[in-house]
């Protein structure tokens, strides 16, 4: 078989603030690959099916010397992220052709040779769910929500939770987990459409933080026992002000700062008077405890509609640049 | 017996920043009390022996409308705080004359009628310890250190702890508890004398943060697994930067802000990547779990010298105004 084009999305330059498709990321068709003969070196060849565009990826588009919890992308090399691939050929004894693999190191290219399963797990698809769900509600964002909630919320029936970016893939899962645990849920997002969606999945109080004062809502509907933070800054401060004694704060990411720097927190002095607990969530630190349980429970609930999800799907590797920009901009403005 | 003067320290006006003895607090000798006949209304009469001046008291010197975890002092009424009193007369069946009581609601006056034991516990003094220790290392500050460490540190032998205001009554106890648990201890304070003291009680690395760069010390001696915060602001940010994965942050008070407002925290976005846990400590929320154990262990260790302490003792109610100012200023500048 003749070599085929292995389309890729390359990290071309470090964004100053927002990524620029065609400049900070470049869609590239220059690489050829011979699918039958490309050396596997003991690994396996996949065809990439689905790639997830997640806010943390912006953090990887940085200079190598800047430290962060994620490793920086390499300039000139493809982006990489969560994705699903199907195995085409394999020299690894534990990896059979036809298997589906999921993990955070799928290169943004049509075909890729992976060395081993270290950063991947096999997936079996529920026939009612498309593969895209396995990078969303049944993937890293869903796991972040499920494992963070499970590990740190100490949720008790009748308590009140405040969940930010409640229409996003993480927040919407958290809303539904909180409702399943019998909590009153206050949820915020940045548009009327999102407010409607958050109500449709069970939020008792849903508001648009751009048009409604967060502190007024929390003063009326709080105090809050659990706060799920995706935003940081002033809303985090408002949550500290309206936290109940023994409140639990789950820090999942501060989306607002990925492009333009993080807003400072002014109210950390409220943590001791109220005996608050704040936990940073990184789902990869929780996988060993909750991954099996997650896959045994959540995809089935998604498939039968007990837990709802939305997804925004773009098609083609050539859309990655825009998708990153869109995700980043959508989220940053939310 | 003729009435005697009941000297008092009154809260006279709200400080703008630093309290001013004679203006924000006033030493008062106008009240008379007849110790034999003053009505007890079912309560008991104490003579005040020892009063503790603690940084949180500055937070109580505020307008009633400003919310905080402590109740505000009443203008024109005596200050109140942790102290030890001896019972002179009693109408309460559970309170015998001659007993010693400890609690956070001892009025700053020579004699006082207390309604019941709700906010007090009885003390038995170790003959080797003066009463003053029971408002310090064997009182609220010691309890804060012991109970906070016990409840939240999850200390493991070989880990590294960074303890701020390590020469203070709380910090010096924490240093010694950390060393007893087999940790490497980095400790900071604001003078060479304090550095010497911190070394004398076992700190492996002790430094004066006014003359030594905190980040340099932490870069060299860290990363830190446990951070004991008494200061907030930039040092808290530095600790976030140099925290190890799964670090525990124990928030005990932010002394720097009591007079002049709290410095913002810039690095909360580091909490999720490192899966940090931050716990606010208020010892009164932990008493039910650890108080009996504290009294059974700590006074004996203080008496036999296994745990060391320092105290600064002023004499006479007329010194309260200066003591507050001094404590506040000393601590704020530390």
């Amino acid at each position: 078989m003749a070599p085929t084009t292995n389309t890729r999305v390359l990290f071309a330059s470090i964004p100053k603030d927002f990524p620029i498709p065609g400049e900070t990321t470049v869609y590239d068709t220059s690489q050829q690959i011979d699918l039958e003969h490309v050396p596997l070196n003991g690994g396996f060849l996949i065809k990439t099916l689905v790639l997830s565009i997640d806010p943390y990826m912006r953090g990887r588009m940085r200079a190598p010397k800047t430290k962060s919890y994620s490793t920086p992308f390499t300039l000139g090399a493809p982006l990489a992220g969560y994705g699903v691939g199907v195995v085409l050929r394999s020299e690894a004894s534990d990896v059979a052709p036809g298997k589906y693999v999921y993990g955070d190191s799928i290169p943004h290219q049509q075909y890729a040779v992976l060395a081993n399963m270290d950063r991947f797990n096999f997936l079996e698809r529920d026939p009612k769910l498309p593969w895209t769900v396995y990078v969303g509600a049944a993937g890293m964002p869903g796991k972040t929500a499920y494992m963070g909630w499970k590990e740190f919320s100490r949720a008790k029936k009748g308590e009140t939770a405040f969940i930010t970016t409640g229409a996003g893939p993480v927040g919407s899962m958290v809303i539904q987990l909180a409702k399943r645990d019998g909590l009153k849920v206050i949820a915020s997002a940045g548009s009327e459409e999102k407010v409607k969606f958050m109500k449709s999945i069970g939020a008792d109080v849903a508001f648009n933080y751009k048009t409604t004062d967060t502190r007024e809502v929390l003063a009326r509907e709080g105090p809050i026992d659990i706060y799920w933070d995706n935003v940081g800054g002033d809303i985090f401060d408002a949550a500290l002000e309206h936290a109940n004694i023994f409140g639990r704060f789950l820090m999942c990411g501060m989306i607002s700062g990925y492009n333009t720097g993080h807003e400072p927190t002014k109210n950390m002095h409220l943590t001791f008077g109220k005996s608050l607990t704040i936990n940073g969530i990184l789902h990869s630190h929780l996988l060993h405890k909750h991954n099996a349980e997650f896959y045994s429970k959540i995809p089935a609930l998604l498939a039968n509609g007990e837990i709802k999800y939305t997804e925004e799907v773009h098609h083609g590797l050539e859309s990655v640049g825009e998708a990153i920009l869109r995700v980043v901009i959508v989220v940053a403005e939310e």
Side-chain angles (χ1 to χ4, degrees), chain A:
Chain A
M1 204 164 90
T4 57
T5 300
N6 193 11
T7 56
R8 305 182 298 167
V9 183
L10 305 176
F11 179 38
S13 67
I14 296 162
K16 285 200 183 59
D17 37 54
F18 293 98
I20 302 170
E23 191 176 308
T24 55
T25 56
V26 170
Y27 176 65
D28 175 85
T29 58
S30 67
Q31 196 182 69
Q32 298 287 306
I33 187 168
D34 182 336
L35 297 176
E36 281 169 41
H37 300 104
V38 59
L40 303 182
N41 301 315
F44 55 95
L45 173 70
I46 61 158
K47 179 176 184 179
T48 304
L49 300 181
V50 174
L51 288 166
S52 171
I53 307 295
D54 299 298
Y56 83 94
M57 292 174 68
R58 173 61 185 85
R60 300 189 64 182
M61 301 173 74
R62 67 179 195 272
K65 66 172 168 46
T66 311
K67 283 190 180 172
S68 181
Y69 64 98
S70 59
T71 49
F73 289 131
T74 304
L75 280 167
L79 303 176
Y82 286 95
V84 178
V86 60
V87 178
L88 302 182
R89 288 171 49 217
S90 175
E91 289 173 5
S93 58
D94 56 336
V95 183
K99 285 275 194 184
Y100 294 88
V101 301
Y102 169 76
D104 69 350
S105 303
I106 304 276
H108 280 217
Q109 53 192 47
Q110 192 60 70
Y111 302 98
V113 175
L114 304 177
N116 54 52
M117 285 294 289
D118 282 2
R119 298 186 71 94
F120 302 97
N121 57 256
F122 293 114
L123 287 181
E124 291 192 34
R125 187 168 68 83
D126 185 297
K128 288 193 201 138
L129 296 175
W131 279 121
T132 50
V133 172
Y134 286 85
V135 299
M140 183 274 279
K143 290 182 189 185
T144 299
Y146 181 85
M147 297 177 186
W149 185 260
K150 191 96 188 162
E151 183 77 11
F152 299 120
S153 73
R154 288 182 265 141
K156 285 185 283 293
K157 199 176 164 173
E159 287 190 326
T160 298
F162 172 36
I163 296 153
T164 57
T165 63
V170 178
S172 61
M173 176 72 84
V174 178
I175 289 174
Q176 295 175 86
L177 294 172
K179 287 311 299 176
R180 292 172 74 86
D181 280 348
L183 279 76
K184 170 177 169 178
V185 170
I186 307 167
S188 66
S191 76
E192 295 310 315
E193 194 189 348
K194 289 176 181 174
V195 166
K196 209 176 282 182
F197 172 65
M198 295 189 295
K199 282 184 181 159
S200 78
I201 58 172
D204 300 282
V205 180
F207 68 100
N208 179 344
Y209 74 87
K210 290 180 185 168
T211 55
T212 306
D213 186 273
T214 300
R215 285 175 173 80
E216 269 175 33
V217 176
L218 298 183
R220 193 177 61 237
E221 305 288 348
I224 54 178
D225 301 291
I226 302 175
Y227 172 61
W228 186 281
D229 185 83
N230 268 311
V231 293
D234 188 53
I235 292 186
F236 178 64
D237 275 330
L240 286 166
E241 290 163 24
H242 292 280
N244 207 351
I245 286 178
F246 304 124
R248 285 83 70 198
F249 277 52
L250 283 66
M251 313 293 288
C252 176
M254 290 188 179
I255 284 164
S256 63
Y258 282 116
N259 293 301
T260 50
H262 296 282
E263 276 184 75
T265 302
K266 294 179 185 149
N267 283 335
M268 284 302 289
H269 61 283
L270 298 178
T271 54
F272 38 93
K274 298 183 182 185
S275 291
L276 303 181
T277 302
I278 301 174
N279 279 108
I281 297 171
L282 196 64
H283 95 291
S284 56
H285 288 150
L286 300 170
L287 284 175
H288 65 289
K289 283 178 82 170
H290 302 292
N291 206 36
E293 189 187 76
F294 175 83
Y295 279 119
S296 75
K297 283 193 180 170
I298 296 299
L301 292 170
L302 293 164
N304 72 19
E306 281 190 60
I307 294 184
K308 292 176 181 57
Y309 65 92
T310 55
E311 50 181 15
E312 181 179 328
V313 179
H314 291 229
H315 293 274
L317 275 171
E318 62 272 38
S319 70
V320 164
E322 285 291 341
I324 288 178
L325 181 61
R326 184 171 157 69
V327 165
V328 169
I329 286 182
V330 168
V331 169
E333 283 191 333
E334 191 184 30

